[in-house]
Amino acid sequence: MPASATATTSLDEPVFGSFVSGVALTFGTRLLMLVGVFGSGLIVARWLGPEGFGTYAVLNVTVALALQIGSAGLPSANTYFIARDRSTAGPIWANAIVFGLSIGVLLTMVVMALAWMKPALFGGVSLKLLAIAAAAIPSQLLFLLALNVLLALDRLRQLNLFDALLPALVLVNVVIALVLLHQELFFLILLNTVAGTLLTLVVALYLRRVVVEQKQSRGIRPDARLLKAMVAYGVKFYISIMAGVIILRTDLLIVNRFRGAAEAGVYGVASQFSFLLLMLPGVIATLLFPRVAASQDTHGEFAVRVTRHATLIMLLTCAGAAGLAFLLPFIYGARFSDATVQLLLLLPGIFLMGLESVLVQHFTGTGLPMAIPVFWIVTVICNIGLNLLVVPRFGARGAAVTSTLSYALIFVLVAVYFRVKTGRSASETFILRIHELRSLLRLQPAISSPSKASS
């Protein structure tokens, strides 16, 4: 199939644009977002030091954990159900508004209750700072739900615009608060909360217009029966997402708890760089998911084609990152010198996690069997147990090794399960074919979107 082929419905109406073009657009946007992510983190580290950066990282991780834990898998359910039937966009968006605001307020209350009753969980971060950061949770949850609706509707340009605006606003806020006004962390967190809330309002107003314009739209009214079906799917997704977030994020909280904010700040730099290496496979997985859901590609043909390309990309990315790791002390300062070792310890696991994040979309797009959540539960139990054993003695380096072992475990479980269910060998799944490599060398990627008709 040519690279410009599109997924179609049974009526031959276009559903999705070019997969390669979508990945290029989204990844290009994410690269621009690095300016906001790295720029804001660098300024906070330089102006506030490891302690301030550690506190800043803990606040961000706390909000991220609250969003993922409280989302109940509904963002992914939005994408899955709309990709299969776009006429459901109206009631799904209405359900998202009710869910996002109500659950978001509840999550804010839970975070504050935990901070009041168990302040040690947050490593001494002040209640005032946590309150301002937690106030952003309702709007951020609605923002997350809105982006997944845009993804399902293939509004990639708009999705990327709104997604990029958030880190851009954070960078502007950091410059205003710390560089220009010489304010403390409290003022910065307050600015971020206000900016995020206003951006969510803009996205919500835009999405309302988009949904109304959809053909065969059912109107923007909550649908309890549809929500029940979405929650049934979302709960399985929720287990996987929550476990993944716990594995990716709680190690920083554990380091902060047992080794202090300074070491957590150094580990936060290494972790931040490692997460950025997952950006491209994350983009690929994000765009692969609705396409598999729309086409129901049960034999995994499209998934393995994409995974083969992702394997080469991750190999080259991690090799380059190994060299760049030695520049971290020069970028962030001598006090962050151990971030180099920590990042090198994380790289093997990051490589495997990137492949898993792409390959698993075959299962998320075809109904998500319970085996996948079970795999994640096993992995997160191993991860937390190892972190609690290793981090008090070995600190952030121990957390990095534990993370790599956890990433390797979930990769092996998913890869073996994929082999059992599809009969496809490891070489077929992960090694590029000669004609695909030649196409890449000619800059003609041999990946096109699947179609319902062909599946």
Side-chain angles (χ1 to χ4, degrees), residues 30-305:
R30 299 294 170 87
L31 289 177
L32 292 176
M33 291 168 65
L34 290 182
V35 176
V37 174
F38 274 109
S40 58
L42 179 59
I43 294 172
V44 171
R46 285 288 189 178
W47 257 253
L48 302 180
E51 294 82 2
F53 186 83
T55 300
Y56 182 71
V58 168
L59 291 172
N60 288 336
V61 168
T62 299
V63 173
L65 278 173
L67 291 174
Q68 296 296 345
I69 291 173
S71 67
L74 203 65
S76 299
N78 286 351
T79 301
Y80 179 74
F81 278 81
I82 294 175
R84 298 182 67 186
D85 181 4
R86 289 194 176 183
S87 69
T88 61
I92 285 176
W93 175 231
N95 288 339
I97 294 173
V98 175
F99 179 91
L101 296 180
S102 58
I103 298 300
V105 170
L106 178 61
L107 289 171
T108 299
M109 295 170 62
V110 169
V111 169
M112 295 312 302
L114 286 173
W116 181 68
M117 294 185 295
K118 299 287 185 180
L121 289 175
F122 302 93
V125 176
S126 74
L127 190 64
K128 183 168 67 172
L129 277 175
L130 280 167
I132 298 300
I137 292 175
S139 65
Q140 290 302 299
L141 181 54
L142 185 58
F143 184 77
L144 178 63
L145 293 165
L147 292 184
N148 278 266
V149 174
L150 289 173
L151 171 64
L153 296 174
D154 203 37
R155 299 285 181 133
L156 294 185
R157 286 180 297 177
Q158 294 81 359
L159 183 153
N160 284 297
L161 172 63
F162 291 129
D163 206 13
L165 278 175
L166 190 57
L169 289 172
V170 170
L171 176 58
V172 171
N173 290 342
V174 168
V175 172
I176 292 174
L178 301 183
V179 179
L180 299 181
L181 300 181
H182 306 288
Q183 294 290 322
E184 299 297 327
L185 190 57
F186 174 82
F187 187 74
L188 171 60
I189 300 302
L190 179 61
L191 278 182
N192 288 344
T193 296
V194 172
T197 301
L198 292 176
L199 179 60
T200 298
L201 179 61
V202 172
V203 175
L205 292 174
Y206 170 76
L207 193 51
R208 180 185 182 279
R209 180 170 64 85
V210 170
V211 170
V212 169
E213 292 174 352
Q214 286 294 306
K215 295 180 180 179
Q216 301 177 339
S217 176
R218 301 182 189 176
I220 306 178
R221 294 183 299 273
D223 186 329
R225 182 178 299 179
L226 179 59
L227 179 61
K228 181 179 179 181
M230 293 174 64
V231 169
Y233 173 88
V235 164
K236 294 186 291 183
F237 215 111
Y238 167 77
I239 295 172
S240 301
I241 292 175
M242 186 175 66
V245 170
I246 290 173
I247 291 172
L248 290 171
R249 299 290 187 180
T250 53
D251 53 354
L252 176 65
L253 299 180
I254 292 174
V255 171
N256 183 70
R257 170 68 177 83
F258 288 102
R259 307 286 289 205
E263 190 162 344
V266 176
Y267 187 62
V269 168
S271 298
Q272 185 181 61
F273 268 82
S274 70
F275 297 157
L276 291 173
L277 299 179
L278 293 173
M279 184 174 62
L280 181 54
V283 168
I284 295 171
T286 297
L287 299 185
L288 178 61
F289 172 40
R291 284 162 171 78
V292 174
S295 66
Q296 291 300 293
D297 179 24
T298 56
H299 298 293
E301 174 60 33
F302 190 58
V304 295
R305 274 189 286 155

Side-chain angles (χ1 to χ4, degrees), residues 392-404:
R393 181 176 179 182
F394 297 101
R397 290 189 180 186
V401 172
T402 296
S403 294
T404 284

Side-chain angles (χ1 to χ4, degrees), residues 244-255 267 270-271 274-275 278 342-343 345-353 376 379-380 382-384 386-388 390-391 395-411:
V245 170
I246 290 173
I247 291 172
L248 290 171
R249 299 290 187 180
T250 53
D251 53 354
L252 176 65
L253 299 180
I254 292 174
V255 171
Y267 187 62
S271 298
S274 70
F275 297 157
L278 293 173
Q342 295 169 22
L343 179 56
L345 292 173
L346 285 166
L347 283 179
I350 290 298
F351 170 74
L352 296 176
M353 177 64 90
W376 277 106
T379 304
V380 78
C382 293
N383 176 266
I384 293 177
L386 285 173
N387 269 316
L388 293 176
V390 171
V391 170
R397 290 189 180 186
V401 172
T402 296
S403 294
T404 284
L405 293 175
S406 300
Y407 303 159
L409 176 59
I410 188 62
F411 166 78

Side-chain angles (χ1 to χ4, degrees), residues 261-446:
E263 190 162 344
V266 176
Y267 187 62
V269 168
S271 298
Q272 185 181 61
F273 268 82
S274 70
F275 297 157
L276 291 173
L277 299 179
L278 293 173
M279 184 174 62
L280 181 54
V283 168
I284 295 171
T286 297
L287 299 185
L288 178 61
F289 172 40
R291 284 162 171 78
V292 174
S295 66
Q296 291 300 293
D297 179 24
T298 56
H299 298 293
E301 174 60 33
F302 190 58
V304 295
R305 274 189 286 155
V306 174
T307 303
R308 288 196 295 263
H309 286 78
T311 301
L312 177 61
I313 291 169
M314 283 304 296
L315 184 62
L316 296 175
T317 300
C318 290
L324 292 175
F326 293 92
L327 297 178
L328 293 182
F330 298 97
I331 297 173
Y332 284 89
R335 297 175 70 186
F336 291 85
S337 60
D338 201 55
T340 296
V341 177
Q342 295 169 22
L343 179 56
L344 291 174
L345 292 173
L346 285 166
L347 283 179
I350 290 298
F351 170 74
L352 296 176
M353 177 64 90
L355 302 190
E356 183 278 335
S357 67
V358 174
L359 186 61
V360 78
Q361 302 310 315
H362 167 74
F363 297 112
T364 58
T366 54
L368 193 58
M370 274 303 301
I372 302 300
V374 170
F375 293 159
W376 277 106
I377 292 172
V378 171
T379 304
V380 78
I381 291 173
C382 293
N383 176 266
I384 293 177
L386 285 173
N387 269 316
L388 293 176
L389 287 173
V390 171
V391 170
R393 181 176 179 182
F394 297 101
R397 290 189 180 186
V401 172
T402 296
S403 294
T404 284
L405 293 175
S406 300
Y407 303 159
L409 176 59
I410 188 62
F411 166 78
V412 170
L413 291 173
V414 170
V416 170
Y417 189 63
F418 183 82
R419 172 76 170 86
V420 170
K421 288 297 182 180
T422 65
R424 296 181 180 274
S425 65
S427 62
E428 185 180 5
T429 304
F430 300 108
I431 300 177
L432 275 177
R433 299 294 178 257
I434 295 298
H435 73 276
E436 292 172 328
L437 185 57
R438 289 173 177 169
S439 295
L440 283 178
L441 294 175
R442 293 195 302 267
L443 300 178
Q444 296 175 350

